[in-house]
Amino acid sequence: MTVQLLFYQDAKPVTSDRHRDVSIKTGHSYAFARNVNSVPVTAVEFAQAAAEYPIVFAGTEQSIMPAVILGVKQTENLYVDDAGNWSGKYVPAFVRRYPFVFSSDASGRTFILNVDESFEGINREGRGERLFDSDGQQTRYLKEVLGFLQDYQSRFQRTKRYCDLLKSLGLLQPMQAQFNLNSGERRSLAGFMTVDRQKLKAIDAADLQAMFGNDELECTYLHLHSLRHFANMLERMPAAGPDVEDKLEPAPEATSAKAKRESGKSAARKGGDEADVRLPQA
């Protein structure tokens, strides 16, 4: 079985034998997401997410998904404060579904509900919502959780088809974001892609019409519009000030491992901080 990780530490299948007397208390803290600089989003979330966060594309050659950028350090989420509050208006569904997650077999056709047993809100004292009743039957809460995750999985698959289309049309280009703070510190964020505007303008009429009809063109422009939020993130950085600046630019498409190591050492000597966008695999 494969489980989407990121902030999941001890995901176990939900069963009446193991979790009959377990309750879940959620919604009071997002501290579990404090150390992630990005999370996946589905296409249906673009309209709300694009109003606050940069939306980019990341993943592997086999699987590319959209993600919202939450920080420019590898273990930094600028939207979770010291008290565990989420300071953004929109909380991505990937975050809202925690501590639950589906696992899947190699075929991707069988899904099992899991709960992260390391979650601070899991308890046997009756705080929050029970998963099973005294007879071992699913509670209404657990059924709603299953419905939410089933809907999420459906949206995930549709989003994957959208990303496959962008890839097949050759519209994605590797990018990196550079941040120069007035403290002299430099930060760099890489490992993500954006849609190339010029290539988008050059696609043929049939592909353009198909994207329009499937709302994929709208998603693409929401993504492009959201990139302005890289500048807004500077306001959340502790070292930020009136003279900070950011720059979004194409990233080298091929860099040797040796060059990457040397680049990292050079950045360290100059006070730079380099990070990547890393997403879990479905």
Side-chain angles (χ1 to χ4, degrees), residues 225-237:
H225 186 62
S226 77
L227 298 179
R228 75 190 193 281
H229 293 306
F230 272 111
N232 298 341
M233 291 178 66
L234 290 169
E235 300 173 5
R236 295 176 175 270
M237 293 182 189

Side-chain angles (χ1 to χ4, degrees), residues 20-41:
R20 178 173 296 206
D21 59 346
V22 165
S23 296
I24 304 291
K25 178 67 174 177
T26 61
H28 62 289
S29 174
Y30 292 97
F32 62 86
R34 181 177 288 127
N35 296 322
V36 296
N37 69 353
S38 59
V39 294
V41 289

Side-chain angles (χ1 to χ4, degrees), residues 43 46 57 66 157-167 195 211 215-221 223:
F46 275 31
F57 297 89
Q157 293 301 327
R158 183 169 185 269
T159 304
K160 187 176 183 303
R161 291 193 293 272
Y162 165 56
C163 293
D164 289 343
L165 173 67
L166 295 179
K167 184 178 177 181
V195 169
M211 290 182 68
D215 296 327
E216 293 165 336
L217 188 61
E218 179 183 5
C219 286
T220 303
Y221 280 115
H223 147 67

Side-chain angles (χ1 to χ4, degrees), residues 4-271:
Q4 291 179 322
L5 300 175
L6 218 56
F7 34 68
Y8 293 87
Q9 299 179 29
D10 190 23
K12 294 290 192 298
V14 175
T15 66
S16 59
D17 289 340
R18 187 181 182 95
H19 301 103
R20 178 173 296 206
D21 59 346
V22 165
S23 296
I24 304 291
K25 178 67 174 177
T26 61
H28 62 289
S29 174
Y30 292 97
F32 62 86
R34 181 177 288 127
N35 296 322
V36 296
N37 69 353
S38 59
V39 294
V41 289
T42 58
V44 74
E45 299 179 81
F46 275 31
Q48 290 174 287
E52 294 185 82
Y53 313 103
I55 301 175
V56 300
F57 297 89
T60 65
E61 290 257 340
Q62 294 74 31
S63 179
I64 295 172
M65 281 294 292
V68 290
I69 301 299
L70 303 172
V72 298
K73 289 185 177 181
Q74 201 66 61
T75 57
E76 172 186 70
N77 186 340
L78 296 170
Y79 294 85
V80 176
D81 63 23
D82 292 339
N85 299 310
W86 192 281
S87 60
K89 294 179 181 178
Y90 180 70
V91 181
F94 188 94
V95 177
R96 284 185 280 120
R97 70 177 184 172
Y98 186 81
F100 298 100
V101 64
F102 274 147
S103 61
S104 64
D105 61 10
S107 71
R109 297 177 180 177
T110 301
F111 294 93
I112 297 175
L113 181 67
N114 292 257
V115 63
D116 187 354
E117 293 187 346
S118 71
F119 174 53
E120 63 179 358
I122 192 168
N123 67 92
R124 300 181 186 276
E125 291 77 46
R127 290 180 284 108
E129 301 285 348
R130 287 279 300 270
L131 299 181
F132 298 93
D133 61 24
S134 57
D135 295 324
Q137 300 299 310
Q138 295 179 5
T139 61
R140 179 178 178 180
Y141 170 72
L142 182 54
K143 291 178 181 177
E144 289 175 349
V145 167
L146 280 166
F148 180 82
L149 266 72
Q150 287 168 348
D151 183 59
Y152 178 90
Q153 198 64 30
S154 175
R155 293 176 177 182
F156 177 92
Q157 293 301 327
R158 183 169 185 269
T159 304
K160 187 176 183 303
R161 291 193 293 272
Y162 165 56
C163 293
D164 289 343
L165 173 67
L166 295 179
K167 184 178 177 181
S168 68
L169 293 175
L171 296 179
L172 296 174
Q173 61 176 343
M175 296 291 284
Q176 60 185 2
Q178 303 286 346
F179 301 87
N180 296 313
L181 307 186
N182 60 4
S183 63
E185 180 184 3
R186 289 192 295 275
R187 298 186 186 180
S188 176
L189 182 67
F192 65 91
M193 293 168 285
T194 65
V195 169
D196 186 315
R197 289 177 180 269
Q198 297 306 313
K199 290 182 179 178
L200 178 63
K201 293 178 182 179
I203 66 174
D204 63 45
D207 288 328
L208 187 64
Q209 183 62 41
M211 290 182 68
F212 176 79
N214 293 330
D215 296 327
E216 293 165 336
L217 188 61
E218 179 183 5
C219 286
T220 303
Y221 280 115
L222 284 168
H223 147 67
L224 289 169
H225 186 62
S226 77
L227 298 179
R228 75 190 193 281
H229 293 306
F230 272 111
N232 298 341
M233 291 178 66
L234 290 169
E235 300 173 5
R236 295 176 175 270
M237 293 182 189
D243 299 323
V244 297
E245 62 178 355
D246 73 295
K247 181 170 61 173
L248 190 64
E249 60 187 15
E253 293 192 23
T255 306
S256 68
K258 179 179 178 181
K260 285 184 177 180
R261 290 194 297 269
E262 292 175 350
S263 175
K265 292 177 181 178
S266 176
R269 287 194 296 269
K270 296 179 181 178

